[in-house]
Every structure is written in structure tokens, then in C-alpha cells.
């Protein structure tokens, strides 16, 4: 990061314009990189085979493709089968509040919202957007 940005206590139009331009360049670069990746995968699929790792060299550059795989289980059908096989020890029982029902209980007067104040957490995230307006 340039020192000018670190020491600056004001934001001027030039800063916003630069951010806007860089963001547009970033989007274009990401779009082109994704197109190239897709092309590389198509080429390697046809030359080496789908889901096969491989590499090729062109001039001073080497393209490598790695294949990562993970085994996942459909939660609902796996739990159902485990219950049928009486393998409940292989099932994680997770207790967590049903927020929709809790908030409905507040509205209906079944539970006092103030009793849950110490349980509440607020998650905040910061986001920056710069848009070009008029002119």
C-alpha cells in the first residue's frame, strides 16, 4: 500500500476514482482468467482425460492441473440409513436454537426477549463499494 493512503485522513475524488478503476480492472482480469482456466481444462480433458492430473510446457511456462477430491455423504439419507442400521453412535446430535421459533415466541409473548439479551450476538461486516455517478 502506498504511504499516501496510509497517512491520508481524507478521501478525495482521485482516491475513489482509482479504487473504481482498479475494481473494474480486477473484474475484467478475473473474467479473462476464468475463461483461460476453462480453456485449459477443456484442453487437458481432451488430451489427458477428465479428472486426470497433468501438465504441459510451452516455452518458459508450465501448466499443471491437480485433481482434488473429497467424499461427502448426503446428510438426510445417511442419517436415515444409520438409524435403520441402529448405528446412532455414528450420528452427531447438534442442539442449537431455532431462531425463527424463538422470535415467534417473543411476538406471541411466550418468552421474554429481555431474558435472552445476554445470549444475543451481533455480527458486523464492513463492505466498500464505489460507484460512478453522473458527469
Amino acid at each position: 500500500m502506498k504511504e499516501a493512503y496510509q497517512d491520508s485522513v481524507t478521501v478525495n475524488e482521485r482516491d475513489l476514482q482509482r479504487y473504481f478503476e482498479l475494481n473494474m480492472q480486477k473484474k475484467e482480469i478475473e473474467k479473462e482468467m476464468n475463461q483461460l482456466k476453462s480453456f485449459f481444462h477443456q484442453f487437458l480433458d481432451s488430451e489427458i482425460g477428465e479428472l486426470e492430473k497433468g501438465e504441459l510446457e510451452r516455452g518458459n511456462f508450465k501448466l499443471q492441473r491437480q485433481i482434488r477430491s473429497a467424499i461427502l455423504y448426503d446428510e438426510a439419507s445417511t442419517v436415515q440409513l444409520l438409524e435403520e442400521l441402529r448405528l446412532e453412535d455414528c450420528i452427531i446430535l447438534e442442539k442449537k436454537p431455532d431462531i425463527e421459533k424463538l422470535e415467534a415466541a417473543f411476538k406471541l409473548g411466550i418468552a421474554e426477549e429481555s431474558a435472552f439479551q445476554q445470549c444475543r450476538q451481533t455480527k458486523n461486516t464492513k463492505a466498500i463499494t464505489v460507484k460512478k455517478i453522473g458527469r
Side-chain angles (χ1 to χ4, degrees):
M1 180 182 280
K2 293 181 179 179
E3 284 187 39
Y5 296 120
Q6 293 173 343
D7 296 337
S8 177
V9 290
T10 62
V11 174
N12 58 42
E13 183 180 6
R14 188 190 85 239
D15 295 334
L16 294 174
Q17 180 180 357
R18 184 68 180 141
Y19 182 92
F20 178 81
E21 290 169 355
L22 289 170
N23 195 40
M24 295 304 290
Q25 288 175 10
K26 174 185 161 197
K27 288 178 182 180
E28 285 300 314
I29 290 168
E30 287 175 345
K31 180 180 174 184
E32 187 175 348
M33 287 180 69
N34 286 334
Q35 289 172 340
L36 285 168
K37 281 190 228 179
S38 178
F39 172 72
F40 296 155
H41 280 299
Q42 288 175 5
F43 177 81
L44 291 170
D45 285 348
S46 67
E47 293 297 312
I48 299 169
E50 286 188 42
L51 299 177
E52 295 293 328
K53 72 178 190 173
E55 63 181 52
L56 66 92
E57 291 183 20
R58 298 291 187 265
N60 294 324
F61 298 95
K62 181 191 286 190
L63 170 67
Q64 293 180 304
R65 174 168 74 175
Q66 301 201 0
I67 304 296
R68 297 182 185 108
S69 53
I71 296 173
L72 305 172
Y73 293 91
D74 175 70
E75 288 186 13
S77 60
T78 303
V79 167
Q80 182 180 351
L81 183 56
L82 286 167
E83 288 174 339
E84 289 172 9
L85 297 173
R86 295 193 172 141
L87 294 171
E88 285 85 3
D89 289 346
C90 297
I91 302 171
I92 297 173
L93 297 177
E94 184 178 347
K95 290 185 178 185
K96 57 184 186 178
D98 184 330
I99 302 302
E100 289 181 18
K101 287 183 181 177
L102 179 60
E103 289 178 356
F106 296 154
K107 288 179 183 171
L108 294 171
I110 298 170
E112 285 295 319
E113 191 169 355
S114 60
F116 291 86
Q117 283 301 104
Q118 75 277 4
C119 302
R120 290 181 61 158
Q121 297 175 348
T122 301
K123 180 181 178 184
N124 297 308
T125 56
K126 296 180 181 181
I128 297 286
T129 59
V130 176
K131 297 179 181 178
K132 193 167 190 172
I133 55 173
R135 293 180 239 174

